[in-house]
Amino acid sequence: MAKKGITPRGEDYSQWYLDIINQAQLADYAPVRGCMVIRPNGYAIWEAIQRELDRRFKDTGHVNAYFPLFIPESFMKKEAEHVEGFAPECAVVTEGGGSKLEEKLYVRPTSETIMYAMYSKWIKSWRDLPLLINQWANIVRWEMRTRLFLRTLEFLWQEGHTAHATAEEAEEEALMILDLYAEFSENVLALSVVKGPKSDAEKFPGALVTYAIEAMMQDKKALQAGTSHNLSDHFAKVFDVQYQDREEKLQYVHQTSWGVSTRLIGAVIMAHSDDDGLVLPPKVAARQVVIVPIWKSDKEKTAVCVAGSELERDLRKAGIRVYLDDRDQYRPGFKFNQHEVEGVPMRVEIGPKDLEKKSVALKRRDGGDKIFVPMDEAVGKIKEQLDTMQRDMLARSKKFREDNTKDIDGYDAFREFIGSDSGWASSHWCGGADCETKVKDETKATIRVIPFKETDTGKCIICGKDSPKRVIFAKAY
Amino acid sequence: MAKKGITPRGEDYSQWYLDIINQAQLADYAPVRGCMVIRPNGYAIWEAIQRELDRRFKDTGHVNAYFPLFIPESFMKKEAEHVEGFAPECAVVTEGGGSKLEEKLYVRPTSETIMYAMYSKWIKSWRDLPLLINQWANIVRWEMRTRLFLRTLEFLWQEGHTAHATAEEAEEEALMILDLYAEFSENVLALSVVKGPKSDAEKFPGALVTYAIEAMMQDKKALQAGTSHNLSDHFAKVFDVQYQDREEKLQYVHQTSWGVSTRLIGAVIMAHSDDDGLVLPPKVAARQVVIVPIWKSDKEKTAVCVAGSELERDLRKAGIRVYLDDRDQYRPGFKFNQHEVEGVPMRVEIGPKDLEKKSVALKRRDGGDKIFVPMDEAVGKIKEQLDTMQRDMLARSKKFREDNTKDIDGYDAFREFIGSDSGWASSHWCGGADCETKVKDETKATIRVIPFKETDTGKCIICGKDSPKRVIFAKAY
């Protein structure tokens, strides 16, 4: 029997992931095939992601709006590459108000078409640009094989859609958002990422270029944590989004779109958790600190609960999300276990002996021994420990990715490396689609990202032709 | 030609409402029948509503979660009254991933059925109660006649769904939420409301009792601004939501559900705006204050923009949402007009003469003359004026409702009163469904609410039988 109902990672990584989600009450399968219910503990992680990203979007001049869930079939069909990419995985409404519809409505798999039809109406002049809109919404894609948070029929996301006067401004925006996503992933989610463009085969249907950030999970697979697309004037021409420039000439706008989704919750779970349950970076945790008072007699109870309550108040004043667990019906051991499984970053214990010594015991969820600190220094120490934990988790994520990313030369070595699930291969690639397909067919690895930072030239591991730089090949979620 | 493209209220109230929405860029019809796009200015109002309500929900112990958009047909059909009420107005998905589905999926018109199927799985013991969950989501109802914000095929809302051990606790929760909604409406939206239960004919399909808050619009029609339902153990029996009590006996839970939607944005527009455009209560405005620097020469520009920028910084520090409108391409008159139409609560003007006198000019959007205040007292004065404006708007809303609510006795007088759109009739009603139907058929007025505060008995205006108390009859949105 697995400890706490959690299968060890080393034994079965997929089952471990599902066990964590189940035991920490993060999500549940719904009675609709492939759909999930995001339970309060899981949704709280999404709320933290929303809060942190929304602030960053607004600080960079974006505003939120809301566009319809339904897209008429004729709109979907306007952009050939787009409809080919998305139509096969759509849910389709054919009846409404008790009657058959004249035109089918697609449940949005993404909102380019419906949004740009409106942009065409709203944008008239250079004065209306740039238009910087973001939407928080639910999305439906008819996936056949689903996995909680990572791939479900319905998921939640944000999609930014901007329009600019020039190609340069659109490229700047796409790259600015990529940096924003990377900074957010590292500083909030404690996920170290690699930035760069995707190969043509992996880019968004209809985009000129797709930039992505990729993170490494504990099983050394890659997970795409966010994408930012430079759409050029491709959609503008299809949806006739034009503006009058300062010389009163009509010009097409240049656009970007970008998004992250609830699959980030899956990334946070898979990157940081251990065999005892969920581990959350403090910035993502709904409850950053739990105070557990420990008592035997009623007299002791009053004393430790009063002390706990005072500490709770002081921590809250200091901006820390804290919860005093003074529930009567559970014993301390039960509480310790629950908070551990649910990933509360820090536990504070206050027992009668601690009160005597005027100290409290702190225990970080990401490891290390209990430490004892004087009561009157507790707030400062807790804050410091939370900050350190946030940094340590990012450092571990970075080290793990770097340790498991290897320069691999030669196709035999490559097949051996990928076949044994040894990590990410940083290998030379000529840029050809045939070589990319061959690797995918033979090893299941895909090109995750073409890192900005790589510079050395070499020979393609597949065909031996010249390669401008190394790219990251890996199996991915 | 109407001033600023806005038809005066007195001339055509419906057109005035649409003109405000259009000129203030709050929403737009989408190219899908009956669906709307909520534009950034409109969505910002929804964000204020979400922020204020979400805080109140959390302060009262509720947590957020997310349930699927799709509901299998078999679930919809489990509760007879519920399916009868909702199925005819549903959008139905019959195709997914390119194939015809075996079971139709309804796009949620409300989430009782899908949520309670999960509650049945999650709730085992008295320790799991109360379960206090809220969801922010999009909802689809196939309305034939639509009006922006008030009635559209798709809208946004929050739906709270709670489960309790006893009938008393469920009733307490339903009433607590009603009070929360009323306090929010009055203190945030500046909408004075009347609280009380609905008649049986107007209650939620499947509820024991529906409580509502009703607000009066400027055309004296009623608008339901929020509902809170005590569902008793009705749904619990259908979805088998049971718990073991302390004596280990199985008991059905008692439930509530409650919600407000984006129609509140329509209420805010209709209750407060004037012939010059939108008027927003400060607590709802994305931009509470706009600073407009006025200059002729470049030298003047530098001076007034520096002063404006300093004031902006100080106001922001004081927690006020402020925007410095130093755009080059527009003249002050254009800016004044735009901010007036868009409902920014307070305008601050800084011109060269103001700088000389070390003062600024303040203009409240809800009327009154410009006032001049010393620059070094500006932050305090602006804060004070915003608070006063918020209170004044509520007071006006209350006075308007009270002035236009009349005790009407006798059916002839009633028909005359309702027929001439004179306001809300506070009239006696026996409690009979027949009398209620007769009034609706003959006058289009419905019973909006049975006010808690009414106490005097009398005779039903329709049939003359004994009436326990006066109720509010009105035409409604």
Side-chain angles (χ1 to χ4, degrees):
Chain A
M1 172 69 193
K3 190 180 168 188
K4 304 173 181 179
I6 299 170
T7 306
R9 274 166 296 184
E11 210 169 279
D12 182 342
Y13 190 80
S14 294
Q15 190 57 47
W16 165 79
Y17 175 68
L18 293 176
D19 289 346
I20 299 262
I21 289 174
N22 188 33
Q23 295 296 331
Q25 305 198 345
L26 299 171
D28 207 342
Y29 275 108
V32 191
R33 190 193 74 76
C35 289
M36 74 174 157
V37 176
I38 307 180
R39 300 184 71 174
N41 285 352
Y43 198 82
I45 300 175
W46 185 237
E47 287 181 294
I49 291 171
Q50 288 191 302
R51 186 176 59 235
E52 293 277 352
L53 275 180
D54 202 69
R55 182 165 56 71
R56 285 167 172 80
F57 295 154
K58 284 180 176 149
D59 284 349
T60 48
H62 302 83
V63 286
N64 289 326
Y66 187 77
F67 293 76
L69 173 68
F70 297 139
I71 300 177
E73 187 168 44
S74 55
F75 278 67
M76 283 297 291
K77 290 187 169 166
K78 279 194 182 174
E79 210 288 312
E81 208 178 324
H82 192 76
V83 69
E84 198 182 303
F86 286 110
E89 53 181 51
C90 279
V92 184
V93 173
T94 61
E95 298 174 15
S99 311
K100 200 164 178 308
L101 303 185
E102 283 178 27
E103 181 176 12
K104 289 179 182 180
L105 297 176
Y106 284 66
V107 181
R108 65 178 160 223
T110 181
S111 301
E112 276 75 8
T113 59
I114 190 86
M115 287 175 79
Y116 302 164
M118 300 309 297
Y119 284 19
S120 164
K121 190 175 161 188
W122 297 340
I123 295 171
K124 305 279 179 213
S125 146
W126 61 272
R127 288 184 192 82
D128 301 323
L129 298 175
L131 186 64
L132 306 172
I133 287 183
N134 176 61
Q135 164 170 276
W136 293 95
N138 54 342
I139 287 292
V140 171
R141 294 182 188 170
W142 207 266
E143 304 283 357
M144 295 316 291
R145 300 179 65 182
T146 59
R147 195 191 294 236
L148 290 170
F149 290 120
L150 300 178
R151 183 167 277 116
T152 48
L153 248 72
E154 183 190 8
F155 56 91
L156 305 180
W157 81 353
Q158 61 71 213
E159 49 183 323
H161 293 266
T162 68
H164 306 264
T166 65
E168 293 69 34
E169 285 175 59
E171 179 68 8
E172 247 173 54
E173 167 83 7
L175 289 170
M176 186 275 284
I177 290 291
L178 186 75
D179 284 343
L180 186 157
Y181 282 159
E183 181 275 321
F184 161 79
S185 283
E186 304 207 322
N187 293 335
V188 178
L189 308 181
L191 278 182
S192 175
V193 295
V194 175
K195 294 189 284 189
K198 290 274 182 183
S199 66
D200 279 355
E202 299 284 332
K203 74 176 188 183
F204 179 77
L208 174 69
V209 54
T210 287
Y211 297 105
I213 51 172
E214 294 277 330
M216 185 183 280
M217 302 296 101
Q218 291 183 72
D219 62 352
K220 302 174 196 167
K221 280 194 190 168
L223 187 143
Q224 177 178 296
T227 49
S228 179
H229 317 291
N230 179 343
L231 303 175
S232 180
D233 57 2
H234 195 130
F235 283 92
K237 284 177 174 160
V238 174
F239 287 93
D240 195 31
V241 191
Q242 297 193 75
Y243 71 97
Q244 269 201 332
D245 67 16
R246 283 166 200 252
E247 282 74 47
E248 302 199 346
K249 274 197 296 193
L250 274 181
Q251 304 276 6
Y252 286 107
V253 300
H254 295 259
Q255 298 185 262
T256 80
S257 70
W258 29 273
V260 304
S261 75
T262 36
R263 83 191 315 243
L264 281 184
I265 302 174
V268 168
I269 298 167
M270 284 206 299
H272 300 305
S273 300
D274 61 24
D275 292 346
D276 293 325
L278 185 66
V279 180
L280 284 180
K283 287 196 185 162
V284 173
R287 290 171 172 173
Q288 299 174 306
V289 174
V290 59
I291 302 169
V292 182
I294 300 163
W295 67 83
K296 282 184 184 137
S297 69
D298 277 357
K299 197 179 147 201
E300 282 175 359
K301 181 184 170 184
T302 307
V304 292
C305 284
V306 165
S309 174
E310 282 169 6
L311 181 58
E312 183 192 27
R313 186 199 55 206
D314 293 345
L315 285 168
R316 192 158 288 152
K317 258 192 217 157
I320 292 169
R321 298 187 289 273
V322 55
Y323 160 61
L324 174 67
D325 188 356
D326 56 2
R327 292 176 298 171
D328 262 329
Q329 67 265 42
Y330 298 112
R331 319 198 67 180
F334 178 94
K335 295 177 182 179
F336 291 177
N337 184 58
Q338 185 185 358
H339 302 308
E340 201 165 81
V341 168
E342 294 185 2
V344 180
M346 174 152 322
R347 179 173 83 223
V348 180
E349 301 170 19
I350 309 182
K353 279 190 188 159
D354 299 304
L355 278 193
E356 266 173 41
K357 292 184 208 158
K358 295 189 177 164
S359 75
V360 294
L362 313 184
K363 179 82 177 75
R364 262 168 65 171
R365 176 63 184 86
D366 65 333
D369 294 329
K370 250 189 234 182
I371 60 170
F372 295 86
V373 303
M375 181 69 95
D376 57 6
E377 294 170 21
V379 173
K381 288 284 178 194
I382 289 168
K383 228 175 150 145
E384 190 184 298
Q385 286 288 319
L386 289 173
D387 288 346
T388 309
M389 177 171 170
Q390 182 81 33
R391 276 198 306 275
D392 287 353
M393 288 180 75
L394 174 59
R396 279 197 295 274
S397 167
K398 184 157 188 273
K399 183 169 189 314
F400 186 78
R401 179 176 57 71
E402 288 175 346
D403 287 352
N404 293 290
T405 302
K406 308 277 190 207
D407 285 358
I408 306 289
D409 299 310
Y411 194 49
D412 285 345
F414 179 88
R415 291 178 71 147
E416 162 65 27
F417 183 79
I418 295 292
S420 59
D421 293 324
S422 301
W424 292 4
S426 178
S427 300
H428 278 291
W429 171 59
C430 62
D434 288 350
C435 290
E436 192 178 3
T437 306
K438 183 177 153 88
V439 168
K440 189 174 179 181
D441 289 348
E442 294 181 358
T443 70
K444 291 183 188 159
T446 50
I447 296 174
R448 303 312 306 156
V449 61
I450 304 169
F452 287 132
K453 60 171 187 179
E454 294 291 343
T455 50
D456 65 326
T457 58
K459 300 289 177 193
C460 176
I461 53 162
I462 304 101
C463 68
K465 285 187 195 151
D466 284 350
S467 155
K469 67 198 294 192
R470 290 179 184 275
V471 304
I472 297 292
F473 284 96
K475 291 185 188 167
Y477 281 98
Chain B
M1 172 70 193
K3 189 179 168 188
K4 302 173 180 178
I6 299 170
T7 305
R9 275 165 296 184
E11 209 170 279
D12 184 342
Y13 190 81
S14 293
Q15 191 56 48
W16 165 80
Y17 175 69
L18 293 177
D19 289 345
I20 299 262
I21 289 173
N22 189 34
Q23 295 296 330
Q25 305 198 345
L26 299 171
D28 208 343
Y29 275 108
V32 191
R33 190 193 73 78
C35 289
M36 73 174 159
V37 176
I38 307 180
R39 301 184 70 174
N41 286 350
Y43 198 81
I45 301 176
W46 184 237
E47 287 181 292
I49 291 172
Q50 286 191 301
R51 186 176 60 234
E52 293 277 352
L53 275 179
D54 202 69
R55 184 166 54 73
R56 284 168 172 79
F57 295 154
K58 284 179 177 147
D59 285 349
T60 48
H62 303 84
V63 286
N64 289 327
Y66 187 77
F67 293 76
L69 173 68
F70 297 138
I71 301 176
E73 187 168 43
S74 55
F75 278 68
M76 282 297 292
K77 290 189 169 165
K78 278 192 181 174
E79 209 286 310
E81 207 179 325
H82 192 75
V83 70
E84 198 182 303
F86 286 109
E89 54 180 50
C90 280
V92 185
V93 173
T94 62
E95 299 173 14
S99 309
K100 198 165 180 309
L101 302 185
E102 282 180 26
E103 180 176 12
K104 291 180 181 179
L105 297 176
Y106 284 63
V107 181
R108 65 180 159 220
T110 181
S111 302
E112 275 75 8
T113 59
I114 191 87
M115 288 175 79
Y116 303 165
M118 300 310 296
Y119 284 19
S120 163
K121 190 176 160 188
W122 296 339
I123 295 172
K124 305 280 180 209
S125 142
W126 61 272
R127 288 184 191 81
D128 302 322
L129 298 176
L131 186 64
L132 307 172
I133 288 182
N134 176 60
Q135 166 169 277
W136 293 96
N138 54 343
I139 288 292
V140 171
R141 294 182 189 169
W142 207 265
E143 304 282 356
M144 295 315 291
R145 302 179 64 180
T146 59
R147 193 191 295 237
L148 290 171
F149 291 121
L150 300 178
R151 183 165 278 113
T152 47
L153 248 70
E154 183 189 8
F155 56 91
L156 304 180
W157 82 353
Q158 60 71 213
E159 49 182 324
H161 293 268
T162 68
H164 306 263
T166 66
E168 292 70 32
E169 285 174 61
E171 178 68 8
E172 245 173 58
E173 167 84 5
L175 289 171
M176 187 275 284
I177 290 292
L178 186 75
D179 285 342
L180 185 157
Y181 282 159
E183 181 274 322
F184 160 79
S185 284
E186 304 207 323
N187 292 335
V188 177
L189 308 181
L191 279 182
S192 175
V193 295
V194 175
K195 293 188 286 188
K198 290 275 183 183
S199 65
D200 279 354
E202 299 285 331
K203 73 176 189 181
F204 178 77
L208 174 69
V209 55
T210 288
Y211 297 104
I213 52 172
E214 294 278 330
M216 186 184 280
M217 302 295 101
Q218 290 183 71
D219 62 352
K220 302 173 195 168
K221 281 194 190 168
L223 187 143
Q224 178 178 297
T227 49
S228 179
H229 316 291
N230 178 344
L231 303 176
S232 180
D233 57 3
H234 195 130
F235 283 91
K237 284 176 174 161
V238 174
F239 287 93
D240 195 32
V241 191
Q242 296 193 71
Y243 70 97
Q244 267 202 335
D245 67 15
R246 282 167 200 253
E247 281 75 47
E248 302 196 347
K249 274 199 295 197
L250 275 181
Q251 304 276 5
Y252 286 107
V253 300
H254 295 259
Q255 298 183 264
T256 79
S257 70
W258 28 274
V260 305
S261 76
T262 36
R263 83 190 315 242
L264 280 184
I265 301 173
V268 168
I269 299 167
M270 285 207 297
H272 300 305
S273 301
D274 61 24
D275 291 347
D276 293 325
L278 184 66
V279 180
L280 283 180
K283 286 196 184 163
V284 172
R287 290 171 171 174
Q288 299 175 306
V289 174
V290 60
I291 302 170
V292 183
I294 299 163
W295 68 82
K296 281 183 184 139
S297 68
D298 277 357
K299 198 180 144 197
E300 281 175 0
K301 183 185 169 184
T302 308
V304 292
C305 284
V306 166
S309 174
E310 282 169 6
L311 181 58
E312 184 193 26
R313 186 199 55 207
D314 294 345
L315 285 168
R316 192 159 288 151
K317 258 192 215 155
I320 292 170
R321 298 187 290 273
V322 56
Y323 160 62
L324 174 67
D325 188 355
D326 56 3
R327 292 176 297 172
D328 264 328
Q329 67 264 44
Y330 299 112
R331 320 197 68 178
F334 178 94
K335 295 177 182 178
F336 292 177
N337 184 59
Q338 184 186 357
H339 302 308
E340 201 166 81
V341 168
E342 293 186 2
V344 180
M346 173 151 324
R347 179 174 82 223
V348 180
E349 301 169 18
I350 309 182
K353 280 190 189 158
D354 299 305
L355 279 193
E356 267 173 38
K357 292 185 207 155
K358 295 190 177 167
S359 75
V360 295
L362 314 183
K363 179 81 177 78
R364 263 168 63 171
R365 177 61 186 87
D366 65 333
D369 294 330
K370 250 189 231 181
I371 61 171
F372 295 86
V373 303
M375 182 69 96
D376 57 4
E377 293 171 19
V379 173
K381 287 286 178 196
I382 289 169
K383 228 178 149 138
E384 191 185 297
Q385 285 288 318
L386 289 173
D387 289 346
T388 310
M389 178 171 169
Q390 182 81 34
R391 275 197 307 274
D392 287 352
M393 288 180 73
L394 174 60
R396 279 197 295 273
S397 166
K398 183 159 190 270
K399 183 166 188 315
F400 186 79
R401 179 176 57 71
E402 287 175 346
D403 286 351
N404 292 291
T405 302
K406 308 277 190 207
D407 285 359
I408 305 289
D409 298 311
Y411 194 48
D412 285 345
F414 179 88
R415 289 177 73 146
E416 161 65 26
F417 183 80
I418 295 292
S420 59
D421 293 325
S422 301
W424 292 4
S426 178
S427 298
H428 278 290
W429 171 57
C430 62
D434 289 349
C435 290
E436 192 178 4
T437 306
K438 184 178 154 84
V439 168
K440 188 173 178 181
D441 290 347
E442 293 181 358
T443 71
K444 291 184 188 157
T446 51
I447 297 174
R448 301 315 306 159
V449 60
I450 304 169
F452 287 133
K453 59 170 186 180
E454 294 291 343
T455 49
D456 65 325
T457 58
K459 299 289 176 194
C460 177
I461 54 161
I462 303 103
C463 69
K465 286 187 193 152
D466 283 349
S467 154
K469 67 199 293 193
R470 289 179 184 275
V471 303
I472 298 292
F473 283 96
K475 291 185 189 168
Y477 281 98

